[in-house]
Amino acid sequence: MSKKLIKQIPLISNCKEVIEIKKGFSSDEKYLIHMQDGNNKLLLQIFNLEELELKKAEYSILERMQDYQVTCSQPISIGEVGNRGYMITSYIEGKDAEVEISKYSEEEQFNIGIEAGKELRKMHQLTAPNHISSWYSRKIEKHRNYIDAYLECEVKVNDDHKIMNFIDENIQLMKHRPNLFQHDDFHLGNIIVNNKKFAGAIDFNRYDWGDPFHEFLKIGIFSRGISIPFSIGQIKGYFNNKELNEDFWRLYSLYLAMCVFSTVVWTLKTIPSDINEMLDKVYMYLEDHDYFSRLKPKWYK
């Protein structure tokens, strides 16, 4: 991105250094901005102008997160520059937990999980706006569409009928579930750690509204494959170390089961070259649950 464009953004026009950040699937351009005083660092995102309204919605979510003292990026400025849109937030100092956490002791991993769970709990204080329809109506429609697309595609999961049967037996449990804020991509890849401690959650751009328990399926798909202590810690931190009843594990298993089909369809559509890697993850959590004949995963001890 040209220096000329940055010079047009008043807040950072006199910055000292600009470093591009290349990470994730987003089409946004991301830059670490070092300001003149040497201590202040900001995160700049540049995006297509047609995304501005979506970004403004994300910006307002970050503002609401400040109301609940969530440890995440603070929104600073949003607007247009040239023919692009931009958003500036505070920069969370640290490193990608997905890369770093395996270097830590099991106790340190567990403690980071505890803090992550507490932060997730704070996020779930935000209630969906009145115009958002019920979680059940939205989720069941999405699921039916994914099933239809899955049945049409060339990739199939072994014994998929067992998974479909489990879903059919439990799908009514989604009725009357709360309609709350969902980060919707809460896993180690979107957590920053610093000095072996939780430093903040990032990437709120996929946020949604619905059942807060749906957030935990990212543990089963991603986080447990990297750090089981973190995964256990996140659940215990969220529930303040309370014993979990079957209701939680049944919903958790339901959402993981539904995710089998959405994962196949989404991967084939978005990153088809990764299909084998994603299927490995699917078979990993199917094994964790013995194809959902058990609700609590084998790794949760």
Side-chain angles (χ1 to χ4, degrees):
M1 188 187 66
S2 69
K3 293 268 177 74
K4 187 180 172 187
L5 204 55
I6 287 184
K7 292 290 182 191
Q8 293 174 44
I9 303 174
L11 194 68
I12 54 174
S13 59
N14 65 341
C15 65
K16 188 168 70 173
E17 189 180 12
V18 179
I19 302 168
E20 186 170 6
I21 300 169
K22 293 184 177 178
K23 180 184 178 285
F25 296 112
S26 171
S27 59
D28 296 354
E29 297 169 33
K30 293 182 182 178
Y31 301 90
L32 171 58
I33 308 293
H34 289 257
M35 298 304 286
Q36 286 291 355
D37 60 13
N39 297 318
N40 197 10
K41 295 178 184 177
L42 301 174
L43 181 68
L44 168 66
Q45 295 178 61
I46 301 282
F47 46 85
N48 294 329
L49 208 50
E50 56 264 27
E51 294 177 44
L52 184 58
E53 290 310 308
L54 284 175
K55 294 294 183 183
K56 283 180 177 176
E58 180 188 344
Y59 189 88
S60 77
I61 288 292
L62 289 175
E63 289 179 321
R64 294 304 308 272
M65 291 298 107
Q66 308 309 307
D67 297 340
Y68 300 115
Q69 285 82 51
V70 174
T71 309
C72 64
S73 302
Q74 296 176 0
I76 294 169
S77 181
I78 189 166
E80 299 177 33
V81 57
N83 61 347
R84 309 292 303 279
Y86 74 88
M87 181 161 72
I88 300 172
T89 61
S90 62
Y91 177 76
I92 299 173
E93 198 69 59
K95 294 182 177 177
D96 184 338
E98 192 171 39
V99 176
E100 291 295 305
I101 203 163
S102 58
K103 302 172 187 175
Y104 303 165
S105 72
E106 289 198 355
E107 185 181 4
E108 288 161 346
Q109 294 178 43
F110 177 77
N111 288 337
I112 291 168
I114 291 279
E115 292 308 310
K118 289 177 179 176
E119 292 299 319
L120 188 60
R121 184 86 184 192
K122 289 184 201 171
M123 295 179 199
H124 292 161
Q125 296 174 85
L126 181 57
T127 305
N130 291 334
H131 70 272
I132 302 291
S133 58
S134 76
W135 165 246
Y136 178 77
S137 63
R138 285 178 292 120
K139 184 65 176 171
I140 203 163
E141 183 182 2
K142 272 188 191 174
H143 174 65
R144 285 171 179 157
N145 290 338
Y146 275 126
I147 287 288
D148 290 345
Y150 170 80
L151 293 172
E152 293 292 320
C153 77
E154 67 276 14
V155 174
K156 292 291 179 281
V157 174
N158 297 338
D159 294 323
D160 53 10
H161 64 281
K162 291 182 182 176
I163 309 164
M164 291 182 191
N165 288 343
F166 175 78
I167 294 168
D168 290 343
E169 288 162 10
N170 291 281
I171 203 160
Q172 298 301 315
L173 295 173
M174 295 194 304
K175 283 186 175 176
H176 314 302
R177 289 297 299 159
N179 215 7
L180 305 176
F181 173 81
Q182 296 171 331
H183 180 283
D184 212 33
D185 206 19
F186 194 84
H187 58 85
L188 282 164
N190 284 328
I191 287 170
I192 303 296
V193 289
N194 198 10
N195 294 324
K196 300 184 177 181
K197 288 185 167 54
F198 179 92
I202 59 171
D203 284 0
F204 283 71
N205 58 311
R206 290 189 177 91
Y207 80 90
D208 205 345
W209 307 97
D211 185 356
F213 287 3
H214 188 262
E215 300 269 33
F216 290 93
L217 68 82
K218 297 292 169 132
I219 289 180
I221 304 168
F222 299 114
S223 297
R224 67 73 80 223
I226 300 164
S227 171
I228 286 173
F230 167 88
S231 302
I232 295 171
Q234 184 187 318
I235 294 170
K236 287 187 177 292
Y238 185 92
F239 290 103
N240 201 22
N241 216 21
K242 290 181 181 139
E243 196 61 41
L244 297 174
N245 59 26
E246 186 186 302
D247 293 347
F248 169 78
W249 290 118
R250 192 168 286 280
L251 277 161
Y252 171 82
S253 296
L254 171 64
Y255 294 141
L256 266 181
M258 295 168 90
C259 202
V260 169
F261 306 108
S262 59
T263 295
V264 171
V265 172
W266 182 87
T267 306
L268 286 174
K269 184 180 177 182
T270 313
I271 38 172
S273 59
D274 287 9
I275 188 63
N276 289 332
E277 183 186 339
M278 291 303 283
L279 283 173
D280 286 344
K281 287 182 170 66
V282 166
Y283 284 119
M284 174 184 70
Y285 69 73
L286 287 173
E287 169 63 23
D288 286 342
H289 292 266
D290 290 334
Y291 270 75
F292 303 107
S293 63
R294 65 183 295 151
L295 300 178
K296 189 187 294 185
K298 295 171 185 176
W299 52 260
Y300 189 85
K301 297 184 172 68

